Amino acid sequence: MHSEVVASRSADQRNPRDLRESSRESSRESRNGGPQLDAVSLAIIEQLQEDGRRPYAAIGKAVGLSEAAVRQRVQKLLDQGVMQIVAVTDPLTVGFRRQAMVGINVEGDTESVADALTAMAEVEYVVMTAGSFDVLAEIVCEDDDHLLDVINKRIRALPGVRSTESFVYLKLKKQTYMWGTR
């Protein structure tokens, strides 16, 4: 899985001195107007995407900072909501045998439906979209009966939900969070 990281962008292959100089010269604002990220912060993120348990000392060596400086930057990135450090599981191995993407058409306020979906424990992913559906929600359930209950009795019962279309996952072929910082 780690081989999926783009080699030319890998933080392991960057010269720490170049990262520090690049960090001083410029920073990059996220597309959504969020915090500005300099080259060093981007390199730290890439290091953690390759291995979320990589020691701060090893990250520091790769990006040219002390362990304490890396620890401070990581905490700032976490506090700003730029990233999360989490354990990603295979749902099948922890008792969730049914996953589905549910396309939802809404009459009225799409945001209120999206907010209600985010409050449901079974809903792992919610995105408001343009196109055939107003909202997409990824659902993770124990079995087909559980999925039916979530869709039929909870999602379809939300005020404003006009219709749903379910896309049941037969086999998960790829799930990765290695997109780097482009």
Side-chain angles (χ1 to χ4, degrees):
M1 181 181 282
H2 296 298
S3 62
E4 294 173 23
V5 175
V6 178
S8 64
R9 298 271 315 167
S10 173
D12 288 336
Q13 296 178 351
R14 294 180 182 162
N15 181 331
R17 182 175 170 203
D18 293 341
L19 285 173
R20 286 191 306 273
E21 289 172 7
S22 176
S23 174
R24 283 189 291 265
E25 292 170 8
S26 67
S27 59
R28 186 167 90 184
E29 187 172 321
S30 69
R31 288 186 177 97
N32 66 2
Q36 292 187 336
L37 301 177
D38 61 21
V40 175
S41 292
L42 295 172
I44 290 170
I45 292 168
E46 286 184 352
Q47 289 279 314
L48 289 168
Q49 283 182 318
E50 289 176 15
D51 180 358
R53 297 181 347 154
R54 184 166 287 155
Y56 290 146
I59 295 170
K61 184 176 180 182
V63 303
L65 293 178
S66 69
E67 178 179 350
V70 170
R71 184 181 314 280
Q72 287 176 344
R73 280 190 182 240
V74 167
Q75 189 59 54
K76 184 177 179 183
L77 292 167
L78 293 169
D79 292 345
Q80 292 175 328
V82 171
M83 67 177 191
Q84 301 175 42
I85 299 173
V86 298
V88 178
T89 62
D90 175 353
L92 291 173
T93 64
V94 291
F96 298 101
R97 296 187 315 268
R98 181 55 67 213
Q99 292 178 268
M101 184 66 69
V102 180
I104 303 163
N105 289 307
V106 176
E107 287 180 341
D109 185 16
T110 303
E111 196 146 2
S112 65
V113 172
D115 289 344
L117 291 166
T118 64
M120 295 181 188
E122 295 86 354
V123 178
E124 296 296 319
Y125 175 84
V126 176
V127 61
M128 295 169 56
T129 64
S132 299
F133 300 104
D134 299 308
V135 179
L136 292 174
E138 184 176 39
I139 314 294
V140 179
C141 294
E142 295 168 9
D143 54 31
D144 287 338
D145 289 335
H146 186 196
L147 178 64
L148 178 61
D149 183 68
V150 170
I151 294 171
N152 197 42
K153 294 182 180 166
R154 295 176 53 208
I155 294 176
R156 289 183 180 156
L158 292 173
V161 171
R162 183 178 51 206
S163 64
T164 64
E165 185 173 346
S166 303
F167 304 90
V168 174
Y169 297 4
L170 298 176
K171 185 175 185 179
L172 183 62
K173 292 293 284 184
K174 181 178 182 180
Q175 180 177 350
T176 181
Y177 302 94
M178 302 291 292
W179 55 79
T181 56
R182 294 187 265 240

